[in-house]
Amino acid sequence: MGIVAGLDSSPDFTRIVVCDTDTGAVLRQGYAPHPVEAPDGGSGRPSDVDPQAWLLSLGEAAGGGLLEGVQAIGVSAQQNALVPLDAQGNTVRPALVGGDKRAQVAAADLVDALGGREAWAQAVGCVPQAAQPVTKLRWLAKTEPENALRTAVLLQAHDWLVWQLLGRPVQRTTDRGGASGTGYWSAASGGYRPDLVELALGHQAMLPEVIGPADAAGTTPEGLLISAGTGETMSAAFGLGIGLGDAVVSLGASGSVMAVHREALADQSGMITSLADATGMHLPVVTTLNAVRALRGTAELLGLPDLESLSDLAMKSTPGSHGLVLLPYLEGERTPNLPHTAGTLAGLRRESMKPEHLARAAFEGMLCGLADALDVLRGRGVEVRRIFLLGPAAELPAAQAVAPSLFGVQVVVPQPADYAAIGAARQAAWALGVSQGTLDPRTPPAWRGAAAQVLEPGDELAVGQAVRQQFTAVREQTHPGAFQL
């Protein structure tokens, strides 16, 4: 029996799990917050972070002999964190992290500079958003031209951490998953687009070598194998064990739907972001701007203290919410592409004007919006036989009551766990097995699946489809032709 470690460097903390290489059983865990101050002393996340903070929390999380006996480490880290280095390997400025609102104008500039959304979708499988590294490069060139000129090497968070763990070698590496989110690497062609780096930054820069899912990035001076590493989304998918036929619906303030697919999907509308996964497959993603924020808004409107109370109230209503339909486009919407619209409440009748029906309509509207996103993928040939429902709201009884019949397939609600860190450990076990000749580079280790609650649509399927038809009718009447598959 061997042991491996997976570390997940999220926007706020580092979490480490130590796992059995054969079964994936978690043997030990470590945790430490990043020593990062919120901007202006507030509660928000900073857009600029010294990467040394990630190393400090990594060291603290690994304290107390946590990594004793570990043979290999995998690294998962927050996506879209751009670390610009100079020719000597020093950081030019703090890392640009998160969905940096400062870069929104830069995103629009880049879209225009290449000739529109369709040109970007064809080039790299996604349309620039404020969070992406390519957009942050444009912001850097426009706002901090001296720093842009000094930038000679571009890394993301997991690339930088792997490089540091290996003792800052000459060769710098990344993986397909991390590279696919940059906006200057194409999942379809498997290659960089240096011309897009130059378009954004104003000059060329060195980019890390993209190595295979089962490859090792190298070995530390102490003999510890370091795997390729990947982004948090890809690592969590790998930790969950999703494969062909599986989709993940994530309920955050905004929502996302992603599925495993054999090929990259170029989407001219820009609704699909074509990412690569951590196994050699592809992860097309469709995002909605309004998921749990629609529930929170409804709870506030009804004077309820929390989402659990909203769920309890919704369970007193019935499917279809007595004809009440909420189009939850409270922040505008991305799927369908209605950036300047507002939400709509339709079907108001005397008998439907009760708090429990509005509460139910909020859950149905949120999940119908995500079912629309799922249909974007299905319309492009992505097979979906099972859906993993993630996020704290996935635990709510109302979400679990509504989701299977609306999605029309089995819904799996995994128990909360550190899936990104587990995925990183699984990648480490894979690279270790390949290096020892005990695993095939095309087949990852078969670890136990996530403990989960399984929900079937059953007899409610026809009812769920009727609810969706009601939602679709209101959407089409309110926004004719906005949703084109």
Side-chain angles (χ1 to χ4, degrees):
M1 183 185 81
I3 58 173
V4 292
L7 72 88
D8 175 40
S9 182
S10 84
D12 300 313
F13 56 79
T14 299
R15 200 178 291 279
I16 302 176
V17 295
V18 176
C19 299
D20 178 290
T21 52
D22 297 325
T23 65
V26 176
L27 307 174
R28 305 192 288 268
Q29 299 182 63
Y31 167 87
H34 295 323
V36 172
E37 291 184 9
D40 305 321
S43 59
R45 287 175 179 160
S47 297
D48 295 340
V49 174
D50 183 347
Q52 293 296 327
W54 308 333
L55 276 185
L56 289 169
S57 70
L58 192 166
E60 187 180 338
L66 184 77
L67 299 179
E68 192 174 323
V70 164
Q71 296 163 279
I73 292 180
V75 177
S76 156
Q78 61 179 303
Q79 284 153 246
N80 300 320
L82 178 70
V83 187
L85 304 179
D86 64 19
Q88 286 72 46
N90 302 312
T91 49
V92 169
R93 68 176 318 285
L96 291 151
V97 301
D100 197 332
K101 290 186 177 179
R102 296 175 300 182
Q104 285 174 339
V105 173
D109 281 351
L110 278 177
V111 172
D112 291 342
L114 195 65
R117 297 168 65 88
E118 185 176 336
W120 277 97
Q122 292 291 347
V124 287
C126 59
V127 178
Q129 306 289 330
Q132 283 178 302
V134 72
T135 307
K136 289 168 177 167
L137 288 179
R138 180 73 158 200
W139 178 87
L140 193 64
K142 294 287 187 184
T143 315
E144 300 177 3
E146 289 184 6
N147 284 336
L149 279 172
R150 288 176 54 217
T151 298
V153 182
L154 302 177
L155 296 180
Q156 292 190 88
H158 84 82
D159 311 337
W160 188 84
L161 284 165
V162 165
W163 183 58
Q164 294 291 330
L165 289 172
L166 291 173
R168 296 165 60 107
V170 173
Q171 183 194 34
R172 301 174 182 91
T173 62
T174 189
D175 85 308
R176 297 168 65 255
S180 67
T182 58
Y184 43 80
W185 185 86
S186 166
S189 69
Y192 281 116
R193 288 289 302 266
D195 57 315
L196 299 182
V197 173
E198 189 166 353
L199 180 71
L201 185 61
H203 61 87
Q204 292 291 344
M206 286 186 65
L207 302 169
E209 179 189 349
V210 180
I211 61 176
D215 291 344
T219 306
T220 68
E222 300 78 29
L224 197 62
L225 190 95
I226 307 293
S227 64
T230 194
E232 256 184 336
T233 297
M234 299 80 189
S235 196
F238 196 43
L240 281 166
I242 70 168
L244 286 170
D246 291 335
V248 175
V249 173
S250 184
L251 303 177
S254 55
S256 68
V257 176
M258 67 179 179
V260 179
H261 197 49
R262 292 191 187 277
E263 58 188 14
L265 298 177
D267 174 47
Q268 297 175 5
S269 71
M271 280 197 291
I272 298 174
T273 297
S274 194
L275 300 177
D277 80 346
T279 72
M281 304 286 270
H282 294 270
L283 272 182
V285 181
V286 180
T287 303
T288 67
L289 293 183
N290 301 277
V292 174
R293 60 165 47 102
L295 300 184
R296 293 201 186 284
T298 306
E300 288 169 12
L301 180 66
L302 292 171
L304 299 173
D306 50 41
L307 296 185
E308 287 74 17
S309 303
L310 184 71
S311 174
D312 292 344
L313 187 60
M315 293 298 283
K316 295 177 181 176
S317 182
T318 53
S321 309
H322 272 248
L324 213 54
V325 175
L326 176 66
L327 300 184
Y329 307 153
L330 308 184
E331 302 281 331
E333 189 46 78
R334 186 173 165 186
T335 308
N337 186 25
L338 297 165
H340 306 299
T341 194
T344 302
L345 185 62
L348 286 167
R349 298 180 184 276
R350 180 66 189 86
E351 62 270 21
S352 67
M353 294 177 72
K354 293 183 178 176
E356 61 265 32
H357 302 324
L358 178 55
R360 175 105 187 183
F363 280 94
E364 290 178 345
M366 172 186 74
L367 290 167
C368 280
L370 285 158
D372 280 352
L374 196 64
D375 281 349
V376 173
L377 296 179
R378 283 174 164 151
R380 294 297 304 279
V382 177
E383 184 183 13
V384 178
R385 295 191 302 268
R386 180 173 65 161
I387 287 173
F388 285 76
L389 195 62
L390 302 186
E395 301 284 326
L396 298 173
Q400 295 185 7
V402 171
S405 62
L406 284 187
F407 293 144
V409 293
Q410 183 185 86
V411 171
V412 178
V413 184
Q415 288 183 3
D418 305 316
Y419 292 111
I422 292 167
R426 190 178 177 207
Q427 188 192 62
W430 194 6
L432 181 66
V434 169
S435 75
Q436 295 173 338
T438 58
L439 286 178
D440 188 316
R442 295 163 298 183
T443 309
W447 281 10
R448 285 195 298 244
Q453 188 176 0
V454 178
L455 311 168
E456 301 284 355
D459 297 337
E460 296 292 310
L461 187 57
V463 175
Q465 298 318 295
V467 171
R468 279 215 65 196
Q469 287 169 3
Q470 181 176 270
F471 179 90
T472 301
V474 172
R475 189 197 65 220
E476 279 303 303
Q477 188 175 4
T478 313
H479 306 287
F483 192 74
Q484 302 280 348
L485 288 180

